[in-house]
Amino acid sequence: MTEVKELTMSVFRSRTKIALAVMALAASTGASAAQIGMSIGSITGTYAVYLDPASPPFSTPNPPAWPLTKVASTTGNAQAALDDASGNANLLPANYPSQPAVSNTGPGGNVELGKLGSLTTMSGNVGGKPIELRSLQYGDWGNNNKAFGYRYVSAFASASGLSLSAQQTEDLVDAIVPDQAGPGLWQRLSDPNINYVYIDGHEVNVGIAGFLDVERLLEAALGGDLPNRAPGQSPYQASEVVHVCLGGVCDYLFGFVATPSGVIGPDGVSFPANYNVTIPEPESLALLGLGLVGVFLGRRRRA
């Protein structure tokens, strides 16, 4: 009887700690729900910055896209590209007082990390938490028997509604990632253009500039036709990839659902889309762990 009582009290104390932790994190979420943008500390490696001309009266709107200009690669300009609207939306009247009629809410300027497989790292903090974003190299795609290549292709097929056989999947991975380091589609996916980085509650959002329809780009790179999209289906969409470390949490971020960006690159074709991708802060993962512990304790008690 004593052992049962002690077990009951132990479970009660554990559940109480879990409940308190959940309440504390929930309160913290409410207090930090406002968007807080990334503050850049340093950028190492090759990078490019694209901005709307930075001096008044600013460029005249060019519907449906606001033109961007390639500017000097400095951390100040890179910060401006991420901050042109304090987060994930820019070109608002408050940012362009000389043109109060402006209503474009696209992600604005961007910072291109690396070029065709070169290593570039952008480090800083967001909401007081250390964060690092970097471009990809061949090893990211080719290591462990092209593990990340398979992850990317499988996610693309699933998001696009494609039923690929094992052989088709392997062929597509091989078309993107050659067996040896060298030219390939992997390079085109490895130098992400970052629109914004901000924390909203307990999740960090990253915007990746890209295209609204990647069918022709993929077919040209793969040397073959993709299945036609059915009426009403969205076009083939796929973003570049950025590797992000937030505190002790690291992951490759990419997406297959795009929204119009409202901006266009100097070449007249780049950056019409934005892919919003996310990574949870470490505290959120800790909360998930506490929840799993609570489930385990509850089952143990019932057993």
Side-chain angles (χ1 to χ4, degrees):
M1 180 64 71
T2 301
E3 292 179 353
V4 172
K5 183 177 181 181
E6 289 178 351
L7 176 59
T8 300
M9 291 301 296
S10 176
V11 170
F12 175 78
R13 286 192 295 268
S14 297
R15 286 182 172 175
T16 300
K17 291 179 180 179
I18 293 170
L20 290 174
V22 171
M23 292 172 62
L25 188 55
S28 173
T29 300
S32 60
Q35 295 178 7
I36 301 174
M38 175 183 179
S39 176
I40 300 173
S42 65
I43 305 178
T44 59
T46 300
Y47 66 100
V49 182
Y50 298 89
L51 275 172
D52 183 65
S55 58
F58 303 102
S59 62
T60 302
N62 181 28
W66 198 297
L68 299 180
T69 299
K70 188 175 182 179
V71 298
S73 297
T74 67
T75 54
N77 282 339
Q79 187 69 66
L82 299 188
D83 286 351
D84 47 12
S86 301
N88 70 332
N90 79 326
L91 308 181
L92 299 173
N95 301 95
Y96 290 77
S98 63
Q99 299 186 32
V102 174
S103 60
N104 189 325
T105 58
N110 66 72
V111 183
E112 182 180 40
L113 302 180
K115 196 64 179 177
L116 299 178
S118 66
L119 178 62
T120 298
T121 300
M122 180 167 67
S123 303
N125 68 80
V126 59
K129 298 172 175 60
I131 188 170
E132 177 184 283
L133 298 89
R134 69 166 174 84
S135 57
L136 274 61
Q137 296 183 288
Y138 176 80
D140 291 289
W141 295 90
N143 287 347
N144 300 316
N145 297 316
K146 306 181 183 181
F148 179 67
Y150 277 94
R151 174 183 167 187
Y152 187 90
V153 167
S154 296
F156 169 72
S158 176
S160 302
L162 297 177
S163 298
L164 301 180
S165 67
Q167 187 60 56
Q168 289 173 320
T169 300
E170 181 179 347
D171 291 343
L172 186 52
V173 171
D174 288 342
I176 296 173
V177 189
D179 292 336
Q180 302 293 328
L185 181 56
W186 69 272
Q187 293 175 301
R188 298 286 299 274
L189 299 170
S190 298
D191 49 2
N193 292 74
I194 305 302
N195 288 323
Y196 54 79
V197 182
Y198 71 90
I199 189 168
D200 188 353
H202 286 277
E203 188 173 63
V204 169
N205 291 257
V206 178
I208 304 176
F211 294 94
L212 287 169
D213 188 340
V214 300
E215 182 173 354
R216 291 185 179 180
L217 291 174
L218 287 175
E219 288 179 342
L222 300 175
D225 294 336
L226 291 169
N228 293 329
R229 306 300 282 161
Q233 276 189 308
S234 61
Y236 287 108
Q237 297 180 329
S239 76
E240 297 171 310
V241 185
V242 60
H243 185 270
V244 179
C245 284
L246 177 64
V249 178
C250 298
D251 200 3
Y252 296 102
L253 301 186
F254 51 91
F256 303 104
V257 177
T259 55
S261 68
V263 299
I264 201 74
D267 60 3
V269 295
S270 298
F271 317 144
N274 177 65
Y275 293 82
N276 188 81
V277 294
T278 61
I279 185 170
E281 66 174 357
E283 290 87 340
S284 298
L285 293 180
L287 175 59
L288 175 61
L290 285 173
L292 293 175
V293 169
V295 171
F296 170 76
L297 288 174
R299 291 179 176 176
R300 180 180 176 186
R301 172 102 188 279
R302 288 192 297 272

